Amino acid sequence: FHRIHGTAAVPARYPPDPKLGNWVRTQRHQYQRMQEGKTSNMNTERIQLLEGLAFKWSIYKDPWSEKGWYVQFKRLAEFHRIHSTTTVPVNYRPDPKLGTWVTNQRRQYQRIQNGKTS
């Protein structure tokens, strides 16, 4: 798939190879369960193997959806790994959406601290 399409973002429903699409959906689901601390077949070795293929854990474009939240969190973790901080500038040129997302997370945290719902 990657060789043909230049990406590892296999859609969950992939008509040319339904089994691949189903398998990819299962991997994403197991990864999400692991991220949520639930029982999962996903492990570090599998994550590394899949990420070695530039596997996309989510193909959703909405960064504000639940799945999108985990995608952004992963990007923040990578930012932290590189920069040893989670202080992402609002106008972070390499990844503007990450800066906006982090700002919104801090805003939501402050709302919760002030007794307001997120």
Side-chain angles (χ1 to χ4, degrees):
F1 185 92
H2 187 272
R3 184 174 37 86
I4 295 168
H5 298 284
T7 179
V10 180
R13 291 197 175 111
Y14 182 56
D17 189 346
K19 287 183 179 181
L20 175 62
N22 187 45
W23 182 83
V24 165
R25 184 179 44 183
T26 299
Q27 302 316 300
R28 289 181 179 133
H29 179 70
Q30 291 298 317
Y31 179 79
Q32 181 181 359
R33 289 183 59 82
M34 188 186 84
Q35 294 293 315
E36 294 169 352
K38 296 178 180 175
T39 302
S40 170
N41 294 325
M42 188 55 62
N43 60 44
T44 306
E45 179 185 1
R46 290 178 179 182
I47 291 169
Q48 290 172 345
L49 288 169
L50 289 165
E51 288 180 346
L53 298 174
F55 186 80
K56 303 294 182 195
W57 294 107
S58 175
I59 57 172
Y60 296 98
K61 300 200 184 299
D62 180 5
W64 314 119
S65 71
E66 187 68 18
K67 290 181 180 179
W69 189 93
Y70 287 102
V71 170
Q72 291 298 103
F73 178 80
K74 186 173 177 186
R75 290 161 86 170
L76 177 61
E78 179 65 10
F79 181 92
H80 181 267
R81 186 185 69 75
I82 294 168
H83 302 286
S84 299
T85 183
T86 57
T87 307
V88 181
V90 176
N91 297 319
Y92 181 56
R93 287 184 182 250
D95 191 348
K97 288 181 180 179
L98 180 61
T100 301
W101 183 82
V102 169
T103 299
N104 285 327
Q105 297 308 301
R106 289 196 172 104
R107 187 175 298 127
Q108 294 295 341
Y109 176 79
Q110 289 302 317
R111 289 179 56 83
I112 291 169
Q113 293 299 308
N114 293 328
K116 297 178 183 175
T117 60
S118 63

